[in-house]
Amino acid sequence: MKLTASQQQAIESVDHSTAIIAGAGSGKTEVLTGRLLYLLKEKGFNLSQILCVTFTEKAAQEMKARVARQVDPEIKKELPWAAIGTFHGICLGILKEHSPRLGLPPLFSVWDEATAKLEIHRAGRQILLRALQEKEAAAVLLVETMEFRNALLLLEELMQFRWHWGRTTDHGLRTTDLKEKEL
């Protein structure tokens, strides 16, 4: 691929961080790979000094593969631990590395969107069923007015916006109670 002048400038500008913003198929991965190789080969940077973040796992893997084909074996050995990845992957790595200091369990996980939605659905269903079982007036009225399925959908939506959830439901703890109770 023949690089444009602005792409070449993005590759060779080392006096500051650079963001590559362009549409699909415009050569972002090529430019990021070129910049990474330039920093490693021409400017003497170590992989540990570089953070390379992209939006897709496919682009991150492609960059690592391209770099692996063009660097010395010593650098190639370090690639699996290099900070080259997606926003989510890099942040997850930071959280895992510092989990003890953050008070996170050692084997914590981050849910993908589908898993999070499923867990919100399960929790909402349990909460609504428990409230109905205990004959809580608000839950009974909600289900009588909207039917169970629609009430559950509304509850799930509220749970997705936790700040709203905490302020607008009687879930055992209202925001005014936060001052009085220790969490």
Side-chain angles (χ1 to χ4, degrees):
M1 173 180 178
K2 177 105 169 92
L3 298 173
T4 66
S6 60
Q7 288 173 323
Q8 194 64 43
Q9 180 184 5
I11 288 172
E12 295 175 0
S13 62
V14 294
D15 57 337
H16 55 79
S17 298
T18 300
I20 310 297
I21 303 168
S26 61
K28 292 181 299 294
T29 303
E30 183 72 29
V31 171
L32 283 172
T33 303
R35 181 173 174 80
L36 190 52
L37 288 166
Y38 182 79
L39 292 172
L40 292 169
K41 293 169 126 182
E42 303 297 324
K43 293 298 180 180
F45 281 75
N46 294 316
L47 274 173
S48 63
Q49 297 173 292
I50 299 170
L51 171 64
C52 187
V53 182
T54 186
F55 284 100
T56 68
E57 190 59 41
K58 180 181 175 187
Q61 293 308 314
E62 180 62 28
M63 280 191 284
K64 282 185 177 183
R66 290 179 190 181
V67 169
R69 289 190 295 264
Q70 298 183 49
V71 294
D72 297 332
E74 288 301 311
I75 295 174
K76 189 175 180 176
K77 283 194 285 189
E78 296 174 28
L79 272 172
W81 297 277
I84 301 170
T86 64
F87 288 99
H88 295 96
I90 296 288
C91 290
L92 179 60
I94 293 168
L95 288 173
K96 285 189 180 225
E97 181 179 342
H98 300 284
S99 62
R101 280 190 238 159
L102 297 170
L104 296 170
L107 298 175
F108 81 93
S109 64
V110 176
W111 292 340
D112 61 20
E113 189 174 340
T115 303
K117 282 183 179 182
L118 178 63
E119 291 301 321
I120 286 172
H121 176 77
R122 285 182 187 164
R125 184 175 180 81
Q126 285 178 337
I127 290 166
L128 190 53
L129 287 172
R130 188 177 324 123
L132 291 172
Q133 207 171 28
E134 295 174 7
K135 297 182 178 24
E136 291 184 21
V140 172
L141 179 62
L142 184 63
V143 170
E144 285 176 352
T145 305
M146 301 183 72
E147 296 182 5
F148 185 85
R149 190 180 100 227
N150 292 329
L152 181 56
L153 289 172
L154 177 61
L155 190 57
E156 289 173 20
E157 188 173 327
L158 289 172
M159 289 171 71
Q160 288 177 3
F161 299 100
R162 283 181 244 154
W163 64 270
H164 189 65
W165 168 254
R167 289 180 32 212
T168 61
T169 65
D170 191 326
H171 188 254
L173 184 67
R174 295 175 187 259
T175 53
T176 54
D177 296 334
L178 291 176
K179 295 173 190 166
E180 302 167 13
K181 296 183 181 181
E182 284 188 31
L183 295 175

